[in-house]
């Protein structure tokens, strides 16, 4: 199956290349290292697009607790890697990309020589454990390839992947005491009690299988593995770090402790001993499965039957070429690095979550069979409903439809009978607010992208989710049209988010001619008006008796004002589905323009900065917080006023200020691709302000030329005339040669194929 | 599937009854309460033959630890129930019967009224928890039916089962505050860390599903459940007793804590609230599965689709009638109670270990499909290879062949590539010594009972197991012909056990014409000679240099002498496969007779008694330890001498002394049916001294008449003339009217059907 898939990818790469009239390789522009410094929370390791295995170095795995208290360093290591660190702990097989909360880091592998050490040791004391110093000079980070020299041992570590298999290649010095440590206790979000259970079985002298069950951000998560070496190990050892096990009578029967055929414990580490020649390569294939040991073995045998590291690397990079070629741009090297790294980051999550035979673990803790779709997890929907899924609806429609079907499967299996909020490995995190999966469903339905799922079933699931009265004040919201301040800490932002989500349900219902549903939800979509206070001019917490909150109100603070990850100043603009109504409520065009202007020009006083979650100071422009998502559409709102040119210069400013092709190039968490999707759309010159509509608002393209290679075989070409850093203002827009009236593009305009021409200038119209 | 099975059983009951020329119900003679006092370690609750669910009250579930040390009370509660106790803690769904080590006790249910209490409280303080006082006057214990009045609440608790479903029926008083507590932390072998993980999901207002993963005597065991009530609960509550969970963000999203749709934690208890009318019955069906929640739901729906408690009880009792009618005896009421309770105890273990669709969990932690056989677990083979499996080869040949196939599946899945030693829910305990599963395989092969398995594959598995050099000194045993005393604490008993096991492999090989294997193992079977010291006249520890142990040797002690669960005096007779050779080695007929005599007549001094494991003092006659298995064949060894009449009076003495139809009627652990199988054989007048041969040694029947109804439809009838308590001596034996020459019967003699007539007298021949 996999082989066919690879052949397909390789083939379509060629077709795509022919279509784009470019044979230029785009993988070289992908710099996974971008964003690994500070708060990008991305990782530099190897993965194929949407891979289940994402194999990457950890530079630290700090314990969740420090002296009995929460260790704030944990947050830095959401993706396991921090560019400024001097040591590598090891290489693990699962990572989030760009999240604001952490988990995963499963099955940490580290090659060493000399005395076996089972603890990582500390960064300030090289030699105190299995960790090793490294330097960026000896590091290569590419799409699906990572290489580093481990200074402690001189070992050259290389890794690549397929969807479900991590392939390690370690070039050893000559040693009689070479080891591979498999740390089954290590993990990201490394809570002392995170490991619930660990099991390992030796299949033969070069293969082990097992699983671990963790209670992390995914509350009840099992991950199975099959690990095989290209040569037999001399022996396998283990150490049980558990305080105790219930029944200790397992081992006494056998007169050996090494090479024990089976181990199970709460806390376990194992190692494998080898003798190596100078420059001998020890290769390891580690397959994972959410289903079973058998599943991991099947994934291993199906995806990587042989030992050709270069082939696996090349096949994976060919997959990336295919994906990257979906949008071929012309621009500077810097632009291309920013663009293709954004494309890369946009295609890491969601992640495949099923075995090659279609089996996957469900939210109901049962094993299911995916019929006719690929099952995905890692849905950070509060982030990704905004631009990432709309991007997929253009360049990855089949995959996006599969993602919707995955959400519907989640709904079916969910104990709460709800669509996902944050889907993490067959678990629901409930992270962040709203029920934004409905927007993803609606966007796909409205755009006619329903290949993998039943649109009416999607609408039913959306309605059921939006009517779950006990979920985060939904009952009050339905009854009163807003969430009372006394009832909920996020009363205002949740009211706004529900109102937008409800509007997307209405759009989906209209498309499906379910007018009873439309009527209910279009009415609910106007609930934003219930929390807008015309007197203060802001969205404002309202009490149960219908009066505005009486205590002090501060539009700058994000704490205690009824909002989440945003203050009133930002959230007041959060009516993406009704900018015209918002403008009217806020006093008309002029006052509205001034309001947005002030967002970008009024510098947030320092005292508020510390409160603003998830971003570095670079992630803020004035009081506009690009590092958090609720403002992502703000700069495009000028399109609904008489000053669309203000959208244009703001967008170009944000593109410049917030995205750089350097390790510290991301102004905040990439948020599983949402920040990157914003970049991709905006650099092409348009953006989906309200997913669930078929409309894109025009911004200002930063590319010189772009070709979107659609799955249908059609292409949509973007020509930018007079492009320069100064010519940020759109003078004229031609769609297939005809002037565009207004500053909006429709989804059909793109999907039908054709040509969009921007004529740029240094002065606004 | 189940319905058909039940129909089949009902039908064959009638056929059997017709054949036996008796329509007498035999279930009334089953007294599950026999052996529940003191050390029988059996339980009084409800089960069908070989049921996966064995639903029974716990009178205590003592913690494994008391003040930081091992709590010796744990041993008393191997089956959860002690007759002398005054309170019941609750009713759980899985139990061992008669074991000397404990586990299970899953999913404890207790009905209560009044304030919800989640701890059992203590026996000396009724009202301190959910436990209740009860009295035996208000208790009914039958095959597949248990009833008791709970004094604390006045609730009448009744329970019955199918193979995979426990059916509870609780008759409540009128109450606005009626509860069902589901204690997911309770368990037998109640180690504080035994619960690894627990999960519960509410399917609707009357059904919950879930699982728990335990690290008990089964190291890595998962058991799933589906629990449904006959009326909706008003609400469900839970309490998490875990010290902490890694991520606590799960609940804040919802504005209720009751009726929460999903819970997962290390330590969890839940309860369900009801309002009840006077005498209202709350019924519960609890299905279990070793595979999945879906499996438990399937088991539930397939086996008990309705709510008819009486029907389930009657169907299960009909199954018992069928099983019990396989041997129909005539005798006193006391004899029948002893006999049919023995039959009952012999058919509780091994237990079915698969779902109705044939899926089961394997030793390799994968899910397997049983094709063409029923998969079993709970094999206590050190005990049961002696008489229980031979009994099955007569009355349950199909089932015994399935058990062998289950052992071969175990072998295939075993990380150690070994046949089971003690198979416990897809785990290997390694409890006790030898590799006696080979004797079970050999006995089935030699007796031609290979319907479910490949005999040559069985032989291969036996050879591989017997050649596992790193298992308990097997390597030394193979190399040296005995296990050196310095190397192994059980050097002598293991040498003897391996020698016997090897002989059974040789017999199987001979039957299959695999003469190379025969030659090797018949040679190994003589290794018992290497540990017999002609000078001391005992089996004796031998050192690596070939000399006998130089330190003090005490034939009475069971500690430190190279034996397990037996002393040299007993173990010296443990050459079941070569009594003639043993007699020769021990100095001939006369000295041998004197030796056995002394075993029964020399009272073991008190100081040694405390060392003798697993039995009460009642389990010893002289120095003969009936409560432990290595002596089970001893009394039959006179058949190889000129004094077979001594076998006859010893057997009748043991039958009288060791088995009584009272709660304290068992002299030691029933050992998953081995003690009962000894009783059944011996009361019929013959016994399989060396399973793996087709020979039975004649004893002295205690029945007046017996009919063995064979699966083939044939019958084997046992007539006993001049039977009385005094007429213990066999005067003449006629097989199908012809005098039997000698004191041996062959398996074919029985299986061909026919008639065996004993003529008894008060004086020996």
């Amino acid at each position: 199956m996999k082989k066919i898939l690879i052949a397909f990818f390789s083939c379509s790469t060629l077709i795509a290349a022919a279509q784009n009239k470019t044979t230029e390789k785009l993988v070289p522009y992908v710099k996974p290292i971008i964003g690994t410094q500070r708060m990008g929370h991305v990782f530099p390791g190897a993965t194929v697009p949407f891979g289940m295995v994402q194999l990457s170095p950890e530079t630290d795995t700090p314990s969740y607790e420090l002296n009995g208290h929460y260790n704030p360093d944990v947050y830095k290591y959401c993706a396991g890697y921090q560019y400024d660190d001097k040591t590598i702990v090891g290489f693990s097989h699962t990572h989030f990309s760009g999240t604001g909360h952490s988990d995963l880091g499963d099955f940490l592998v580290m090659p060493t020589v000399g005395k076996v050490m089972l603890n990582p040791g500390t960064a300030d004391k090289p030699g105190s454990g299995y960790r090793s110093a490294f330097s960026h000079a000896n590091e290569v980070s590419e799409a699906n390839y990572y290489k580093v020299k481990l200074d402690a041992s001189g070992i050259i570590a290389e890794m690549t992947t397929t969807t479900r298999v991590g392939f390690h290649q370690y070039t050893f010095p000559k040693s009689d005491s070479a080891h591979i440590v498999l740390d089954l206790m290590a993990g990201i979000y490394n809570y002392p009690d995170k490991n619930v259970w660990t099991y390992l079985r030796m299949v033969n002298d070069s293969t082990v299988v097992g699983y671990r069950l963790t209670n992390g951000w995914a509350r009840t998560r099992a991950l199975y593995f099959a690990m095989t070496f290209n040569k037999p190990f001399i022996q396998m050892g283990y150490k049980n770090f558990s305080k105790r096990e219930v029944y200790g009578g397992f081992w006494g029967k056998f007169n050996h402790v090494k090479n024990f055929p089976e181990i199970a414990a709460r806390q376990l580490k194992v190692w494998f001993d080898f003798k190596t020649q100078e420059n001998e390569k020890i290769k390891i294939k580690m397959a994972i499965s959410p289903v079973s040991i058998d599943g991991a073995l099947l994934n291993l045998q199906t995806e990587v039957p042989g030992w050709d590291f270069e082939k696996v690397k090349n096949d994976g990079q060919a997959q990336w070429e295919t994906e990257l070629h979906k949008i071929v741009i012309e621009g500077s090297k810097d632009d291309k690095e920013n663009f293709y790294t954004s494309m890369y980051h946009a295609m890491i999550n969601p992640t495949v979550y099923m075995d090659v035979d279609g089996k996957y673990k469900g939210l109901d803790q049962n094993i299911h069979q995916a019929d006719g779709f690929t099952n995905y997890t890692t849905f950070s929907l509060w982030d990704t409903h905004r631009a990432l899924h709309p991007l997929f609806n253009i360049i990855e429609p089949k995959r996006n439809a599969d993602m919707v079907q995955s959400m519907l499967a989640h709904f079916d299996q969910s104990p709460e009978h709800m669509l996902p909020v944050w889907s993490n490995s067959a678990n629901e995190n409930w992270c962040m607010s709203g029920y934004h999966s409905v927007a993803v469903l609606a966007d796909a339905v409205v755009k006619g992208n329903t290949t993998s799922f039943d649109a009416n079933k999607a609408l039913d699931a959306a309605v059921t989710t939006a009517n779950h009265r006990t979920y985060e004040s939904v009952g009050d919201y339905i009854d009163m049209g807003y969430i009372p301040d006394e009832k909920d800490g996020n009363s205002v932002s949740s009211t706004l988010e529900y109102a937008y989500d409800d509007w997307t349900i209405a759009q989906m219902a209209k498309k499906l001619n379910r007018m009873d549903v439309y009527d209910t939800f279009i009415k609910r979509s106007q609930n934003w008006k219930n929390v807008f206070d015309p007197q203060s001019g802001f969205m404002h917490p309202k009490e149960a008796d219908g009066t505005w909150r009486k205590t002090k109100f501060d539009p700058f603070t994000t704490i205690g004002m009824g909002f989440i990850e945003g203050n009133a100043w930002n959230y007041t603009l959060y009516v993406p589905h009704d900018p015209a109504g918002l403008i009217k409520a806020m006093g008309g065009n002029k006052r509205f323009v001034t309001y947005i202007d002030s967002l970008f020009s009024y510098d947030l006083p320092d005292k508020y900065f510390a409160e603003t979650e998830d971003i570095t100071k670079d992630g803020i422009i004035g009081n506009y917080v690009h590092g958090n998502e609720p403002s992502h559409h703000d700069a495009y709102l000028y399109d609904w006023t008489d000053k669309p040119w203000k959208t244009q210069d703001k967008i170009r400013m944000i593109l410049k200020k917030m995205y750089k092709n350097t390790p510290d190039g991301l102004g905040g968490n990439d948020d599983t691709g949402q920040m990157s999707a914003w970049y991709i759309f905006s650099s092409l010159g348009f953006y989906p302000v309200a997913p669930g509509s078929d409309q894109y608002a025009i911004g200002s393209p930063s590319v010189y030329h772009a070709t979107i290679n659609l799955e249908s075989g059609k292409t949509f070409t973007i020509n930018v005339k007079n492009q320069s850093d100064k010519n940020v203002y759109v003078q004229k827009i031609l769609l297939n040669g005809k002037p565009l009236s207004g500053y909006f593009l429709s989804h059909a305009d793109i999907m039908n194929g054709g040509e969009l021409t921007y004529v740029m200038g240094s002065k606004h119209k």
Side-chain angles (χ1 to χ4, degrees), chain A residues 46-47 50-55 91-95 104-109 161-168 182 184 208-212 221-228 284-304 351-357 359-360 377-378 425:
Chain A
T47 181
F50 310 97
M52 189 155 82
V53 163
Q54 305 190 324
L55 176 54
F91 308 95
S92 82
H93 293 78
T94 54
H95 294 85
L104 313 183
D106 299 282
F107 311 140
L108 186 108
V109 169
T161 70
T162 60
T163 300
R164 297 165 182 89
V165 181
F167 196 144
H168 308 238
L182 172 62
L184 294 162
V208 295
V209 296
Y211 61 81
R212 73 171 187 162
R221 174 172 176 269
L223 193 68
Y224 300 82
F225 71 88
M227 181 188 199
T228 187
I284 303 169
K285 295 184 290 193
M286 167 79 92
I288 63 173
S289 162
V291 173
S292 66
I293 288 168
D294 274 351
L297 283 166
L298 181 67
N299 293 340
L300 181 68
Q301 288 146 9
T302 308
E303 293 197 344
V304 195
T351 50
V352 170
Y353 193 66
M354 71 176 204
D355 290 342
V356 290
D357 61 0
K359 285 204 178 76
Y360 68 97
T377 188
T378 323
S425 301

Side-chain angles (χ1 to χ4, degrees), chain A residues 4 69 99 157 187-188 218 237 247 291 301 321 341 357 463 465 590 655 662 673 678 709 749:
Chain A
I4 295 163
H69 295 91
T99 53
I188 300 174
Y247 177 61
V291 173
Q301 288 146 9
E321 285 295 344
T341 302
D357 61 0
V463 169
T465 301
K590 195 175 168 194
L655 284 168
T662 51
W678 190 98
N709 293 297
D749 293 339

Side-chain angles (χ1 to χ4, degrees), chain A residues 355-521:
Chain A
D355 290 342
V356 290
D357 61 0
K359 285 204 178 76
Y360 68 97
K361 183 83 162 279
L363 270 277
D364 58 1
Q365 301 277 307
N366 281 314
I367 304 303
H368 297 265
Q369 181 73 37
D371 282 326
F373 73 104
T374 298
N375 190 60
Y376 289 88
T377 188
T378 323
F379 290 108
S380 181
L381 291 154
W382 186 83
D383 301 305
T384 59
H385 77 282
R386 301 169 202 262
L388 185 65
H389 287 285
L391 176 67
F392 292 159
N393 270 330
I394 298 173
I395 62 171
E396 300 273 356
K398 172 71 180 74
R399 206 186 289 268
N400 196 60
D402 281 8
M403 290 170 183
V404 170
Q405 178 52 35
S406 303
M407 293 182 200
L408 295 179
H410 180 118
F411 174 84
D412 285 342
Q413 298 150 7
S414 154
E416 298 80 12
H417 305 296
M418 285 183 71
L419 285 160
V421 171
W422 212 116
S423 155
N424 178 12
S425 301
N427 282 261
E428 174 57 81
N429 288 329
W430 306 113
C431 185
M432 297 304 292
S433 50
Y435 34 79
H436 299 300
S437 47
V438 306
V440 177
L441 272 50
D443 200 48
V445 169
V446 164
K447 291 171 180 169
N449 178 21
T450 57
T451 48
S452 308
F453 66 92
D454 177 336
N456 275 292
K457 208 188 146 202
L459 179 60
D460 293 341
V463 169
T464 302
T465 301
N467 284 330
H468 194 107
R469 296 181 57 90
T470 60
Y471 171 73
E472 209 159 40
S473 305
V474 165
D476 285 330
Y477 169 80
I478 291 172
D479 295 343
M480 306 175 68
Y482 69 99
I483 302 169
D485 185 31
E486 307 95 305
K487 295 283 192 76
D488 195 307
N490 307 327
S491 66
V492 188
S493 57
S494 282
T495 298
L496 294 172
E497 296 188 16
Y498 294 159
Y500 162 68
D501 289 339
D502 290 345
W503 177 83
T504 72
I505 294 173
Q507 302 312 302
M508 179 162 38
K510 190 163 72 177
K511 173 93 177 184
L512 298 171
N513 201 24
R514 298 264 298 269
M515 296 314 288
D516 53 330
V517 176
Y518 174 80
D519 290 345
T520 303
F521 281 87

Side-chain angles (χ1 to χ4, degrees), chain A residues 26-44:
Chain A
L26 301 177
V27 161
Y29 295 111
V30 174
K31 301 289 173 195
I33 210 76
I34 294 174
T36 58
Q37 201 171 15
R38 302 166 70 176
M39 290 302 169
H41 289 187
V42 292
F43 59 79

